[in-house]
Amino acid sequence: MIPDWETERRRMVEEQLSKRGIRDERVLSAMNAIPREDFVVPEARLAAYFDEPVPIGCGQTISQPYMTALMAQSLELAGTETVLEVGAGCGYHAAVLGNLAARVISVEIIPALAELARRNLARAGLDHNVTVICGDGSLGYPGLAPYDAISVEAGAPEIPSALLAQLNDPGRLVIPVGERGEHELRVVWKRRGQIEHRVETLCRFVPLRFPRR
Ligand code: SAH
């Protein structure tokens, strides 16, 4: 039986997001509107609203809905920003950011996933302000810098310096930092030339690749 996706989505927003403290109404309504089931691979469709990461092919996963919401909320987007995303994956998180900001540039290193993200965003009609670029996002995307916000969706041992350099002042960046499989989600802000951060939560992400090292 095909699930009633709207009901599944509403339940996810209530039980996994609102009840766990996601308060940004814009994040809640973006995630109530975007059809997550159309972004995951067909084999994983029935798991689209599970409270866990879901495979998207090429050994990668789409984050648990709560993690996407927490990361998006931590950027405190008002709707006017240009955002850089690193790790488009299937394009779902990019769609959420596109709903919350003026423009999103998303860099994905695996060509097949960059293509999947583009296709998913276009099919959902959410590609008007989201551009997916295939490349190494650990270097950022200097051509359109600076970015008011940067969302890194793969874990790194440290914050890539190119990303800090491409962050606007003021600007905010969110990134899982740590060793393989054990990360702290850091929210970083740049203000009057100073960099500060806080740790939002502990988490587990797929690794950010550094092919140019
Ligand atoms: N948020 C995504 C899933 C991210 S999974 C979604 O909504 O589907 C992490 C992604 O980061 C993977 O697709 C992986 O290929 C990508 N990635 C890893 N290293 C990268 C790099 N250096 N540059 C760009 N993308 C990278």
Side-chain angles (χ1 to χ4, degrees):
M1 208 176 81
I2 299 173
D4 172 355
W5 296 117
E6 263 178 47
T7 305
E8 296 273 312
R9 206 175 301 130
R10 202 172 330 114
R11 193 176 298 146
M12 176 273 282
V13 168
E14 265 168 41
E15 298 188 352
Q16 300 177 37
L17 310 187
S18 296
K19 281 192 187 164
R20 282 194 202 137
I22 301 296
R23 289 279 167 266
D24 186 330
E25 286 298 332
R26 297 181 71 240
V27 171
L28 296 172
S29 72
M31 291 184 65
N32 210 357
I34 296 169
R36 189 171 160 94
E37 71 278 10
D38 291 341
F39 284 81
V40 301
V41 290
E43 310 84 85
R45 228 169 170 229
L46 291 174
Y49 291 95
F50 286 7
D51 190 12
E52 55 194 52
V54 175
I56 54 172
C58 307
Q60 307 301 313
T61 52
I62 177 176
S63 299
Q64 172 192 26
Y66 175 71
M67 192 51 64
T68 295
L70 189 63
M71 292 177 80
Q73 173 172 269
S74 72
L75 292 175
E76 296 184 11
L77 299 167
T80 55
E81 298 85 357
T82 298
V83 182
L84 175 69
E85 175 184 64
V86 178
C90 70
Y92 174 74
H93 198 135
V96 173
L97 294 171
N99 196 292
L100 299 169
R103 186 169 187 204
V104 179
I105 311 300
S106 180
V107 184
E108 168 56 53
I109 202 162
I110 299 179
L113 291 179
E115 196 40 53
L116 175 69
R118 277 189 204 114
R119 219 174 31 241
N120 282 344
L121 286 157
R123 199 184 40 202
L126 297 170
D127 58 344
H128 55 284
N129 65 346
V130 182
T131 306
V132 180
I133 287 155
C134 188
D136 176 9
S138 72
L139 304 172
Y141 190 70
L144 293 171
Y147 301 97
D148 306 306
I150 300 181
S151 180
V152 185
E153 291 150 22
E158 70 213 31
I159 306 175
S161 56
L163 298 182
L164 281 178
Q166 290 170 36
L167 185 62
N168 208 354
D169 186 349
R172 296 173 83 84
L173 176 152
V174 62
I175 181 170
V177 175
E179 296 307 323
R180 242 163 208 279
E182 255 178 60
H183 303 105
E184 50 182 43
L185 187 68
R186 280 197 208 167
V187 181
V188 180
W189 54 99
K190 194 191 264 188
R191 201 165 33 201
R192 295 187 207 105
Q194 303 285 330
I195 305 277
E196 289 177 70
H197 82 265
R198 69 164 192 268
V199 175
E200 186 71 53
T201 188
L202 297 179
C203 53
R204 184 169 289 198
F205 273 75
V206 296
L208 184 70
R209 300 190 192 176
F210 289 93
R212 296 277 178 88
R213 280 205 180 155

